[in-house]
Amino acid sequence: MTTDMTVPQTTSAYRYNRPGAPAGSPRTRWTALAVLVLAVLLVAVDATVLVLALPFISESLNPSAPQLLWIGDSYSFVIAGLLVSMGSLSDRIGRRKLLLLGAAAFGVASLLAAYAPSAGWLIAARALLGVAGATIMPSTLSLIRTLFPDDRERARAIGIWGAAATAGAAAGPLLGGVLLEHFWWGSVFLINVPLVLVLLVLGARLLPESRDPKPGAWDLPSVGLSLVGIIGTVYAVKEGAVEGLARPDVWLAGVLGVLCLTAFWRRQLRLPMPLLDVRLFANRRFTAAVLAALIALIGLSGVVFFLAQYFQLVRGYSPLVAGLADMPAFAGSTLGALVAARLASRAGHRRALAGALLAMGLGIGVLGWLDATTPYLVIGVAFTAIGMVEGTVYALSTTMVLDASPAAKAGAASAVSETAYELGTALGIALVGTVTTAIYRSGLPAGSSEAARNSLGGAVESAHALPTAEGESLLRAAQESFVHGLNVAALLSGGLLVAAAALVWFLMRRTSR
């Protein structure tokens, strides 16, 4: 007989071969959580570890400009497109089984990437890593739902899970930098292999199995619509932000993505056993959590993305120092995720989530007064505060998504939360990129080169090729207009988050605990 979470209590799924560790004991649950933390660290690190390796890859494999873009983006594109489908698949075939299969595939793809002989090979390997990553992330969250039936314990577990995801993303560039100091660029992928082996051994022994007892068929047309819809939308947003909206492929991808997502939504309403039960969005608590995750990343990701350019091209930091300058935000986010459960238990989810969004909006708004001479101490304190409330939003919204969804559908529901973060990141870069670029270009001297108009980096290169006085004038104008654009974008992002706080407060007025 199974529990309401479809976990067989007498099968090998709960036979932890450890003396004195009965099924369901706190020690087995928290040990199993450590395995899930290892899994999420694996995926999170790989999302950012490639940042510092791209110049070395360019020198070794000589990729074209589009190929270099796809080497960086194929991983996140595929993850975003497959999260919902793989979350639903985990409900059907078993969450532990899919996680272990995904981990094994992650190890194989890491080997293929590490020894890639060409740029095309590396792009394909990165895409396979994305497929494997998409199987791991929703499985980890839905297994947390299985392991921790108690609301308070589950909230703490999700806080630890969120802290691991944030810490992994922060550690990626630093780990990559250390490896590249001593080894070739393939080492940033090869480091995954021993971690995968540990995950496979411990996961098979410590993780329980769970699945939806009546899942229905895995609807392949829905999988295709979801994949094309999300990838098309994310591609259009990212490329539109970087290259502008004049390119026909941006419009084609955007229209195709919207049409496929619309068709996906309508198909789910007709299917007796949908890939994703979109009726969950009728639950105000579920919708508030998803919107909080989406808007939080829209408000944060674009500002952080362009602050990296501010550190390097306005303040003159090296890439590694610029990466270290971002660390207070990641450290704050890790701490925020860990304290989110306690905050929610004292203030309630409604006050905690709306309050965190409000504080996050005010913190990002402070960056509207940033300039080239702002002491880093001020920036570091602001980053720490913003990171703390972002981590709180991350953990609270994830907890609320899982709480509001049926246990049997935990895989698909958790994938919705992760997809919201992927889409929020892309939309945030687009929003901030559009505002910053428009203001940046308006502040450049008349007759500036096309390279200077395209980016601050292009302006730096153009300034070096000009006579000293003229180059200094161009560089000063470019830096000032870039900072001004970043200021305006930060104020708009802060305002968006304040509005999101009001929206969450309104949506949860009848469902607050």
Side-chain angles (χ1 to χ4, degrees), residues 114-487:
Y115 296 101
S118 66
W121 181 295
L122 182 55
I123 291 169
R126 288 281 288 168
L128 181 57
L129 279 167
V131 175
T135 68
I136 292 173
M137 291 299 284
S139 296
T140 57
L141 269 177
S142 50
L143 282 170
I144 287 176
R145 173 71 179 263
T146 298
L147 284 164
F148 297 94
D150 179 74
D151 287 348
R152 292 189 176 183
E153 276 198 339
R154 182 166 62 248
R156 288 198 296 272
I158 290 174
I160 294 171
W161 178 93
T166 301
L174 298 180
L175 176 63
V178 171
L179 290 172
L180 291 168
E181 285 286 329
H182 303 283
F183 307 102
W184 95 115
W185 61 263
S187 62
V188 301
F189 298 110
L190 206 58
I191 192 66
N192 294 334
V193 176
L195 298 178
V196 164
L197 293 176
V198 173
L199 176 59
L200 290 174
V201 172
L202 296 181
R205 182 177 180 181
L206 297 173
L207 295 178
E209 184 58 284
S210 66
R211 61 175 61 87
D212 186 346
K214 298 179 180 179
W218 199 50
D219 186 56
L220 289 179
S222 296
V223 173
L225 289 171
S226 171
L227 178 64
V228 176
I230 294 175
I231 288 181
T233 303
V234 172
Y235 176 85
V237 168
K238 282 191 172 184
E239 290 300 294
V242 175
E243 302 292 341
L245 299 177
R247 285 172 39 182
D249 61 313
V250 172
W251 283 99
L252 178 62
V255 171
L256 180 63
V258 170
L259 289 176
C260 287
L261 289 177
T262 303
F264 172 81
W265 185 281
R266 297 180 66 178
R267 183 173 180 84
Q268 303 317 294
L269 291 173
R270 294 195 304 268
L271 290 174
M273 292 290 183
L275 189 75
L276 172 66
D277 187 2
V278 296
R279 294 178 180 85
L280 284 171
F281 287 93
N283 183 323
R284 287 173 175 250
R285 188 180 182 83
F286 183 91
T287 301
V290 173
L291 286 176
L294 177 68
I295 299 175
L297 263 293
I298 289 175
L300 178 67
S301 59
V303 174
V304 170
F305 177 81
F306 283 94
L307 275 170
Q309 297 181 49
Y310 162 83
F311 284 135
Q312 294 181 68
L313 300 176
V314 176
R315 299 184 74 105
Y317 292 174
S318 69
L320 185 57
V321 173
L324 291 171
D326 288 332
M327 286 300 103
F330 288 107
S333 183
T334 302
L335 180 60
L338 292 173
V339 304
R342 180 170 297 180
L343 178 64
S345 67
R346 293 187 176 185
H349 282 86
R350 184 190 187 197
R351 291 188 181 90
L353 186 58
L357 287 168
L358 177 61
M360 192 174 173
L362 296 176
I364 290 177
V366 168
L367 299 178
W369 283 268
L370 189 72
D371 61 33
T373 62
T374 302
Y376 177 75
L377 180 61
V378 175
I379 301 173
V381 171
F383 268 19
T384 303
I386 293 169
M388 283 190 65
V389 289
E390 189 276 333
T392 302
V393 171
Y394 190 16
L396 288 178
S397 61
T398 303
T399 301
M400 290 166 56
V401 164
L402 286 181
D403 287 351
S405 60
K409 307 294 183 183
S414 60
V416 172
S417 177
E418 289 300 309
T419 303
Y421 275 90
E422 293 290 340
L423 291 176
T425 300
L427 290 171
I429 293 173
L431 170 69
V432 175
T434 301
V435 172
T436 304
T437 301
I439 296 175
Y440 165 75
R441 288 177 175 173
S442 68
L444 292 177
S448 297
S449 67
E450 187 64 24
R453 290 179 57 80
N454 283 338
S455 68
L456 180 57
V460 172
E461 292 182 5
S462 297
H464 290 158
L466 294 172
T468 302
E470 190 177 346
E472 289 178 353
S473 176
L474 171 62
L475 183 58
R476 184 167 53 253
Q479 290 175 334
E480 289 176 356
S481 59
F482 178 84
V483 172
H484 179 50
L486 184 59
N487 293 155

